[in-house]
Amino acid sequence: MRNRERPFDQQVRANGAMAAAVQWAGIAALVMGVLGAVLPGTAGTVAGWGAVGIVVATPLGRVAWLAIRWVDRRDWLFAGLAAMLLAVVVVAGTLALRQ
């Protein structure tokens, strides 16, 4: 049985890589948040916004990662739902920036 035909819970390498990426993003967000709290002026503001960016981007990256895996497995329903979710976020972000 090829790897992409196995259930997701049996794909240890791919799931481990995703878990490691999310863990590192959490650590990076924590470090940036602490730096944002202790650094004065512009540097603190930039670090704080960086933490917010990481916290927002991490779940979106995870959805994109899963969408790619679903396309590889030819699971078009979940791939389409993931693409629609990402499209909603892009449209909402675009509308928010235009205001």
Side-chain angles (χ1 to χ4, degrees):
M1 176 181 293
R2 293 187 326 216
N3 190 39
R4 70 177 176 196
E5 294 172 352
R6 294 180 185 200
F8 281 125
D9 59 350
Q10 294 179 7
Q11 295 183 20
V12 177
R13 183 171 168 230
N15 290 335
M18 185 184 307
V22 171
Q23 182 178 14
W24 279 107
I27 292 169
L30 176 65
V31 169
M32 294 290 283
V34 169
L35 288 175
V38 298
L39 290 176
T42 305
T45 303
V46 169
W49 278 110
V52 170
I54 292 170
V55 168
V56 170
T58 299
L60 296 176
R62 186 169 184 257
V63 170
W65 186 329
L66 286 171
I68 291 168
R69 289 178 65 191
W70 286 324
V71 166
D72 184 50
R73 295 171 62 98
R74 290 173 176 61
D75 190 342
W76 304 118
L77 175 64
F78 282 105
L81 291 171
M84 285 192 297
L85 175 63
L86 292 172
V88 166
V89 171
V90 167
V91 169
T94 303
L95 291 175
L97 290 175
R98 293 186 73 206
Q99 298 300 322

